[in-house]
Amino acid sequence: MAQHILIVDDEESIVTLLKYNIEQAGFTTEVAYTGKEALEKANEQTFDLIVLDVMLPEMDGMEVCKQMRQKQVQTPILMLTAKDDEFDKVLGLELGADDYLTKPFSPREVVARIKAILRRVTYHSNSTEEERECFKIADLMVYPEQYEATVKGEGLILTPKEFELLLYLTRNKGRVLSRDQLLSAVWNYDFVGDTRIVDVHISHLREKIEPDTKKPVYIKTIRGLGYKMEDPSKDA
């Protein structure tokens, strides 16, 4: 069954362009022209990914993204913005978007980003409990096949990008990883040195896994170098 994409934009020409190219790539699409309509459709249907414009009538894309994440809708979101401003990009990511593109953009790049995001969030739901690969660090458990993670047995609500970052850090426990390394490994393409994106996602992860975000015991900042995942149980 083809994967289902929700396109949210109030410009008819852009919707037509996106719809044609996304469907040509083998996806099915649904369209919303306002933020309110996007929320309603996201609540009524299941989508594999949402292409969400920032500048929308009734409710902007930032607020749509925020409300979806507050309602635990974890569908991957690719944000489109006409504002080539770092603040807007970072804010979108802080609110839970998985990726962003600045207008004007190439339809081919939109499709490429969609495919990259969906590849990262694809998991094998048929694997049995015995088959589940698991990484354990103290009270943190990460299950790559299920895109699941727990702390002290409680499930974590993570966006796909947050999970990918957590998994990469976990798999490389004890290694110092630079922001550029994390950008390359997790985002899979060049963000032209926009390493603030990494910092934003590290901050989100700490809020969800650390007992005290001011004194992190899992994800340590290595000043001037990057980040390192450590096992706090070894220091106990």
Side-chain angles (χ1 to χ4, degrees):
M1 182 181 294
Q3 290 171 298
H4 199 34
I5 310 294
L6 175 62
I7 301 169
V8 188
D9 201 302
D10 64 327
E11 296 184 48
E12 187 70 42
S13 60
I14 291 179
V15 169
T16 300
L17 181 67
L18 289 173
K19 184 176 175 64
Y20 173 79
N21 284 275
I22 291 171
E23 290 182 353
Q24 284 293 108
F27 301 101
T28 61
T29 64
E30 186 85 17
V31 173
Y33 293 94
T34 69
K36 183 178 178 181
E37 185 184 5
L39 275 179
E40 290 173 351
K41 291 196 173 186
N43 288 328
E44 294 169 358
Q45 302 178 51
T46 299
F47 295 96
D48 294 288
L49 184 140
I50 298 170
V51 179
L52 177 63
D53 187 33
V54 170
M55 303 300 291
L56 294 169
E58 297 182 5
M59 180 187 300
D60 67 28
M62 297 292 189
E63 184 62 25
V64 173
C65 182
K66 179 181 177 182
Q67 290 197 28
M68 284 184 180
R69 295 310 188 221
Q70 286 176 340
K71 294 177 181 179
Q72 309 304 330
V73 176
Q74 298 303 317
T75 306
I77 295 174
L78 171 61
M79 296 200 82
L80 304 179
T81 173
K83 299 178 179 178
D84 190 11
D85 184 276
E86 182 181 1
F87 174 79
D88 292 299
K89 297 172 184 176
V90 172
L91 178 59
L93 294 167
E94 286 178 337
L95 292 174
D98 297 276
D99 201 352
Y100 66 83
L101 272 175
T102 302
K103 297 179 180 178
F105 50 77
S106 157
R108 181 179 295 180
E109 184 175 10
V110 174
V111 171
R113 296 284 182 97
I114 289 172
K115 288 181 177 180
I117 294 170
L118 291 175
R119 276 198 303 270
R120 291 194 292 267
V121 301
T122 299
Y123 62 91
H124 306 291
S125 58
N126 295 326
S127 59
T128 65
E129 189 71 23
E130 291 75 18
E131 293 172 330
R132 297 178 89 185
E133 180 185 14
C134 174
F135 294 95
K136 183 179 187 304
I137 302 176
D139 294 322
L140 173 66
M141 307 282 284
V142 182
Y143 301 94
E145 295 295 313
Q146 282 68 35
Y147 261 65
E148 294 174 1
T150 64
V151 170
K152 293 185 177 180
E154 294 189 11
L156 300 175
I157 304 299
L158 302 171
T159 66
K161 194 66 67 179
E162 289 169 358
F163 182 85
E164 287 291 330
L165 179 57
L166 177 61
L167 178 59
Y168 190 77
L169 287 165
T170 303
R171 280 180 164 154
N172 290 277
K173 181 183 68 174
R175 289 182 57 198
V176 177
L177 302 168
S178 71
R179 291 170 175 82
D180 286 331
Q181 280 179 287
L182 292 170
L183 277 174
S184 176
V186 178
W187 279 263
N188 203 30
Y189 51 85
D190 186 11
F191 262 82
V192 196
D194 197 356
T195 54
R196 175 72 194 279
I197 294 164
V198 175
D199 297 333
V200 167
H201 282 74
I202 291 289
S203 177
H204 285 180
L205 285 179
R206 282 175 169 162
E207 290 174 1
K208 296 175 181 182
I209 72 172
E210 299 285 0
D212 182 353
T213 56
K214 294 180 180 178
K215 297 179 181 178
V217 295
Y218 286 103
I219 304 174
K220 296 290 186 72
T221 300
I222 309 302
R223 190 174 298 276
L225 295 175
Y227 297 101
K228 179 171 68 169
M229 175 68 80
E230 293 188 348
D231 186 346
S233 64
K234 291 184 177 180
D235 299 325

